[in-house]
Amino acid sequence: MQPRLLVLDEPTSALDVRAQAAILALVGRLRAQRNLAYLLITHNLGIVSELCEQTAVLYLGRVAESGPTGALLGRPAHPYTRALRSAVPEIGAGGRTRVILPGEPPDATCPPPGCVFHPRCPLAVDRCRTEVPLLRPVGLGRLAACHRAEEVLATASTWPAPEPASTAEGSPPDPAAAAPPTGV
């Protein structure tokens, strides 16, 4: 068989570091040798930054943000992407506030009105509770489904403000660390 698309669903989940490295090397070799495209489904943003050229972040089955991986991970435009990115530990960088989202994701069979992320979003306003945000351009090759995406982008270095009860220390995103990925 000569597949043109490979679907990878959590390919490194529950594997030790050596096995993960072997899987990533195999995927890279297959991509180069066979000109493969792949769809990677994962919660591991480290794997995303290694393998993917384009990324879509989903929340409750809806695209929250999409775009070139380096730009998306280096400077998220959606509060959910920002929270995910803040959870990735980085060595040698300090001062970043980790975003800890309150509550649990809503029931996907009965999503809340408006933006499905609004019950957990630290930036939610009345409009978010009533109006579904459209996936719209927010930069070169980037889309976000957030009424406040431009504000999120504009405050990339300062958002969110530290709140002792709901945040913990982490490290800042390093756009250089999210080097151009090698996969599709």
Side-chain angles (χ1 to χ4, degrees):
M1 298 183 85
Q2 295 293 330
R4 296 185 62 194
L5 175 68
L6 186 59
V7 177
L8 304 165
D9 190 354
E10 297 286 359
T12 60
S13 177
L15 298 176
D16 65 43
V17 175
R18 281 189 187 175
Q20 287 182 15
I23 295 290
L24 294 177
L26 173 62
V27 170
R29 261 193 332 274
L30 287 172
R31 180 182 162 265
Q33 292 171 353
R34 300 191 181 185
N35 198 25
L36 273 178
Y38 46 84
L39 171 66
L40 173 65
I41 303 163
T42 187
H43 291 88
N44 186 332
L45 294 182
I47 302 301
V48 169
S49 69
E50 287 293 319
L51 292 180
C52 300
E53 293 172 359
Q54 294 286 319
T55 297
V57 174
L58 281 77
Y59 184 80
L60 213 62
R62 297 182 186 174
V63 175
E65 180 173 3
S66 69
T69 301
L72 187 139
L73 294 179
R75 200 164 159 238
H78 193 282
Y80 180 61
T81 308
R82 176 83 40 104
L84 287 176
R85 182 65 183 89
S86 82
V88 177
E90 292 180 19
I91 297 172
R96 179 178 73 189
T97 301
R98 179 153 180 230
V99 180
I100 305 215
L101 299 174
E104 296 293 322
D107 181 352
T109 63
C110 186
C115 175
V116 295
F117 185 59
H118 88 262
R120 303 181 76 199
C121 182
L123 300 178
V125 294
D126 288 340
R127 181 180 182 195
C128 303
R129 293 172 184 84
T130 60
E131 185 181 326
V132 175
L134 300 176
L135 192 60
R136 61 188 174 79
V138 292
L140 188 60
R142 296 190 59 188
L143 302 171
C146 178
H147 298 303
R148 302 186 71 188
E150 289 79 10
E151 293 172 65
V152 174
L153 284 168
T155 59
S157 62
T158 60
W159 185 87
E163 292 180 26
S166 63
T167 60
E169 287 300 313
S171 15
D174 178 6
T182 59
V184 174

